[in-house]
Amino acid sequence: MFFAALFASYFTIRAVSPDLWAANTEKLNIPFAAVNTTILVLSSLTCQLGVFAAERGQVGRTGSVLNVKGWGLREWFVLTYVMGAVFIGGQATEYASLVKEGVTIQDSAYGTMFYLTTGFHGLHVTGGLIAFLFVLGRTFLARRFTHEQAVSAIVVSYYWHFVDVVWIGLFATIYLIK
């Protein structure tokens, strides 16, 4: 519901200020954002591969770290974490670039809506990264891997997939719809 309200606000303010949107969307680095989006979307795949490993009861890798087929929950979730962190770093880089170009939260309605929508999404991604750390920590602290730990990994994956789907909608709305 929260993101639905942000989308509604974005489209409402955009409808009454089309010239403002046209001027500011030109400043967006769409290829950079597309690469960042691809990283986040692919992190859903790595997250799900971690869930499959958890469902098999495979916490850690079997064999070399280079043998991706032998990876367990930990390896897939660490990779997912890194990809999510890269996404957040990409967002910070994009924010710095836009601020240099004069797009700020207090500058205009466009800046306000851009930073609110992408910023709250970034906070949700950060929350997901924290959840990955909790799941990973539990795998190291527990004496044996249990069904409850597998369920925890599955629940975190649901959240992560939700965050990714929301970003696909935000990316299409902010970067692709001119």
Side-chain angles (χ1 to χ4, degrees):
M1 295 302 294
F2 180 74
F3 280 105
L6 286 175
F7 277 106
S9 299
Y10 182 90
F11 282 117
T12 301
I13 296 172
R14 179 183 173 151
V16 297
S17 307
D19 295 336
L20 179 63
W21 251 252
N24 282 285
T25 55
E26 294 298 319
K27 298 174 183 174
L28 296 175
N29 186 343
I30 295 171
F32 179 82
V35 169
N36 212 27
T37 297
T38 302
I39 291 168
L40 187 65
V41 170
L42 287 175
S43 76
S44 260
L45 173 67
T46 61
C47 179
Q48 192 59 42
L49 291 170
V51 167
F52 292 153
E55 290 171 339
R56 289 191 308 270
Q58 184 182 356
V59 181
R61 64 183 158 84
T62 56
S64 167
V65 74
L66 300 176
N67 179 19
V68 177
K69 288 185 178 186
W71 279 15
L73 169 68
R74 287 180 187 144
E75 290 76 23
W76 288 117
F77 271 23
V78 165
L79 180 57
T80 303
Y81 180 91
V82 168
M83 293 169 85
V86 167
F87 175 82
I88 292 296
Q91 247 190 337
T93 301
E94 181 179 31
Y95 284 5
S97 173
L98 288 171
V99 167
K100 283 181 186 174
E101 293 195 39
V103 179
T104 62
I105 199 164
Q106 72 274 8
D107 177 56
S108 67
Y110 177 84
T112 301
M113 290 314 304
F114 176 84
Y115 290 110
L116 278 178
T117 55
T118 61
F120 273 110
H121 178 268
L123 287 174
H124 281 78
V125 171
T126 302
L129 295 176
I130 292 167
F132 281 120
L133 292 177
F134 278 120
V135 170
L136 288 166
R138 284 183 70 190
T139 67
F140 286 105
L141 294 174
R143 292 185 180 183
R144 64 184 185 87
F145 189 71
T146 64
H147 174 72
E148 288 77 20
Q149 287 177 313
V151 169
S152 294
I154 293 166
V155 170
V156 169
S157 79
Y158 290 161
Y159 178 81
W160 195 252
H161 297 317
F162 163 75
V163 166
D164 283 1
V165 168
V166 168
W167 181 254
I168 292 169
L170 283 173
F171 177 76
T173 299
I174 294 170
Y175 294 90
L176 302 180
I177 299 174
K178 293 266 180 172

